[in-house]
Amino acid sequence: MFVNENGKQRVYTDKDGHIMHDADMTNEMFTGGKHKKFWNSFPFFAIALVVFLWWGFSGLCFGWALSWIVLLTIPLYYSLVDAIYKRKADHFAFPVLAAMAYILMGYFNIFGGWTVGWVVFLTIPLYYWICSFFKNKND
């Protein structure tokens, strides 16, 4: 049972009859926690490590000089999973994505490379401003 207060769900009763407040609500009540556990426990770090080693030893596309960027996908993956399940875009590690974009723009000389690529860091506060805008709009 949900109690709505000014359009927000504030209180619920779980299947055992326990009354929980807004702060106690978890995604496990709604998803059973099975999908969340799977994606959070998925060994993405192992896949990233294998790709990192393969790319480095192969010497393709700058080899070791650029292959470490694969390791930056680890926080991106887990923060994306967290952002999706909590439905909070501000939980996504956008600064890591911006750093990856800057590095790739520099190595491949995309959009002016290192010279103009720093502008991508200006999107970080813009991203979080947009997140707060939509968060405040939903409140």
Side-chain angles (χ1 to χ4, degrees):
M1 177 181 106
F2 290 95
V3 176
N4 289 321
E5 182 179 299
N6 294 330
K8 297 180 187 177
Q9 295 174 346
R10 296 291 185 186
V11 180
Y12 74 90
T13 306
D14 65 3
K15 62 184 175 185
D16 297 325
H18 297 101
I19 296 174
M20 308 284 261
H21 296 281
D22 195 25
D24 299 327
M25 292 178 70
T26 63
N27 288 330
E28 291 181 10
M29 177 187 165
F30 303 107
T31 65
K34 295 175 186 173
H35 299 293
K36 185 177 180 182
K37 280 186 176 180
F38 173 75
W39 291 112
N40 277 337
S41 64
F42 183 74
F44 184 80
F45 66 91
I47 294 170
L49 185 62
V50 168
V51 170
F52 163 72
L53 293 172
W54 173 81
W55 188 357
F57 283 120
S58 71
L60 295 173
C61 194
F62 299 105
W64 292 110
L66 191 57
S67 66
W68 62 269
I69 203 162
V70 172
L71 299 177
L72 290 177
T73 62
I74 296 170
L76 285 180
Y77 171 79
Y78 289 107
S79 68
L80 179 65
V81 169
D82 186 53
I84 289 172
Y85 278 105
K86 291 184 179 177
R87 294 181 179 189
K88 295 184 178 181
D90 57 347
H91 283 217
F92 179 63
F94 188 78
V96 177
L97 181 65
M100 284 180 61
Y102 175 69
I103 292 165
L104 291 172
M105 288 169 64
Y107 271 100
F108 296 112
N109 201 22
I110 300 170
F111 301 121
W114 304 110
T115 309
V116 183
W118 63 269
V119 174
V120 77
F121 290 109
L122 296 177
T123 64
I124 295 172
L126 180 66
Y127 173 79
Y128 287 108
W129 177 76
I130 291 171
C131 288
S132 69
F133 175 76
F134 284 110
K135 185 177 180 180
N136 292 337
K137 190 175 184 179
N138 291 337
D139 285 346

